[in-house]
Amino acid sequence: MDIEIPSELIRRLQKAEHVVVLTGAGVSAESGIPTFQEARTGVWAAYDPAELATPQAFLRNPRLVWDWYAERRQEMEAAQPGPSHYALVDLEQGIPHFLLITQNIDGLHWRAGSRELLELHGNIGRCRCFDCGTYAFGWDEEGAKPPSCAHCGGLLRPDVVWFGEGLPGQQLRAAYRATEQAHLFFSVGTSAGVQPAASLPLIARRSGAYVVEINPHETALSLMADCWLRATPGAVLPVLARWVMPQTEEEDA
Ligand SMILES: [Zn+2]
């Protein structure tokens, strides 16, 4: 059964020129991807995040950090995009100015077909050189761990944002700019607790956007959002997408 969407939200969605969507772990979870904390099982339970996901950890023990991310990468590459991912592709196609900002590193939005996409925390499918920053999109999985940079011989690291690292400035500026222009802002499956992503809904609100939260769990945002849809992203986004797809928008009328 479809969830009931408030008519005010449908009205706003159908006339919105600028829409920004922020996604987080709740969307990845629907594809079976565990959070960082949930993945720390078995041999990994002995390590805390500071030993697996910081530049210091990589300098101290690059092999350990590489192995941790190699396992995560395998897990994420085996996962498939879900209904939320595909609905966001439909929304992108149905809305004149659309931007999807994700905190997820699994690359599933890209694989589903989203192209107006900012991967704020990077993408585990890519690496870059720890020393010179050159990107690498392929490497020998059977060779040295970590593999070396083809350009300078430095060590390759996953192109994800580690604890204690800043977010890529250019991406962050683009996220702020789009958020300030948004008529509608959706916060989807994220606890909205991690800065600077957590500030985006507040900036949207201040700039006059209608802010919608989609989350089965209450977060810091739930009560200040204009509309809180207390449901999983997969139950809501496909319904919303139907309202902006021109060929089907009459269906539910
Ligand atoms: Zn290099």
Side-chain angles (χ1 to χ4, degrees), residues 198-216:
S199 65
L200 293 173
L202 308 177
I203 291 170
R205 190 89 203 278
R206 206 174 55 216
S207 312
Y210 188 80
V211 174
V212 181
E213 171 167 54
I214 302 172
N215 204 320

Side-chain angles (χ1 to χ4, degrees), residues 148-169:
S148 345
C149 168
H151 183 66
C152 79
L155 296 179
L156 292 185
R157 56 164 284 178
D159 187 28
V160 299
V161 175
W162 281 333
F163 296 105
E165 289 188 310
L167 269 58

